[in-house]
Amino acid sequence: MRYFAKNRVSAQGKKKTSALSYVLYWAGAFAFSVWFIWVLFTSGPHGFIGDPVAKAFKDFLGNTAYLFPFIFLYGLLAILANLKKPHKGALTLTAGILMILGSLSAVIGLLGSRFGPERFDGGWLGYFLEQTLSKMFGGVGAGLFSAVILFAGIQLLFKISWQKVLKTVSSAVMEDCRSWLSARRASRSCWNPPAS
């Protein structure tokens, strides 16, 4: 009986600790993401940590750096929602984030090489990937290969069912076509009334 009571108290303590760590982890992750958004999207002094971090991310990722905190926040929330498989979720989400950021940086780097880096800045990563992929596959091939990596990263990160997306889009297109044909038939019948 004493052993059972001891185990019950121990289990309750573990639950409280687990719940507290869950709340602290979520609050810390949310606070870090908000801080990171503030550092990247606002001008002015951000402290001796914020300024170097913002400069490093902007130099490394270019324009893609502005997307990072939102993807990072989504990844953390997805991991917190799937705590039963934390390692598998973390690895999958990390791979998806890296693929999305890398492919977007490469695409922006490709655009920067055509239209100027002052408008399209892919950062060091974008420049490296753009140069590497262009040497391997040419300009068009680099763009296509980057698009494939982007879709694969989106699939890993958001787990999108492309079959459902295609079905929804095709249904919407078919419905628009039917509405257009129906409206066209109605307008023809108005302009060409039947002979009496």
Side-chain angles (χ1 to χ4, degrees):
M1 183 73 177
R2 189 177 297 174
Y3 177 77
F4 175 75
K6 185 179 179 181
N7 283 349
R8 187 173 179 181
V9 171
S10 176
Q12 288 176 349
K14 285 181 181 178
K15 285 181 180 179
K16 288 180 181 177
T17 305
S18 177
L20 179 63
S21 62
Y22 180 87
V23 171
L24 289 175
Y25 183 73
W26 188 90
F30 181 77
F32 175 78
S33 299
V34 172
W35 173 79
F36 207 55
I37 292 169
W38 171 72
V39 164
L40 287 176
F41 283 88
T42 61
S43 57
H46 300 106
F48 69 92
I49 294 178
D51 289 332
V53 167
K55 186 178 185 308
F57 266 83
K58 288 177 182 177
D59 288 343
F60 184 66
L61 292 173
N63 300 139
T64 316
Y66 297 103
L67 187 63
F68 177 80
F70 300 103
I71 295 180
F72 179 74
L73 179 61
Y74 171 81
L76 287 173
L77 293 175
I79 291 172
L80 288 172
N82 190 24
L83 286 176
K84 292 182 180 178
K85 301 176 182 178
H87 300 296
K88 183 179 179 182
L91 290 174
T92 302
L93 291 168
T94 302
I97 289 171
L98 291 176
M99 291 170 73
I100 289 173
L101 294 177
S103 59
L104 283 176
S105 296
V107 170
I108 294 173
L110 285 165
L111 293 172
S113 66
R114 302 294 185 275
F115 303 105
E118 62 278 355
R119 297 178 62 188
F120 299 97
D121 180 16
W124 296 340
L125 179 62
Y127 176 78
F128 170 76
L129 292 175
E130 181 265 326
Q131 290 292 312
T132 304
L133 293 174
S134 293
K135 287 179 182 177
M136 292 173 65
F137 307 107
V140 175
L144 292 173
F145 193 73
S146 298
V148 170
I149 296 175
L150 176 62
F151 279 110
I154 292 173
Q155 175 65 39
L156 279 176
L157 189 62
F158 299 107
K159 296 180 180 178
I160 296 173
S161 173
W162 295 108
Q163 184 178 1
K164 288 183 180 179
V165 172
L166 183 62
K167 186 177 180 180
T168 302
V169 172
S170 61
S171 297
V173 170
M174 291 298 294
E175 183 64 30
D176 286 344
C177 287
R178 281 193 288 267
S179 299
W180 179 77
L181 289 173
S182 177
R184 189 177 179 185
R185 282 194 293 267
S187 64
R188 280 185 176 179
S189 62
C190 289
W191 287 104
N192 298 313
S196 55

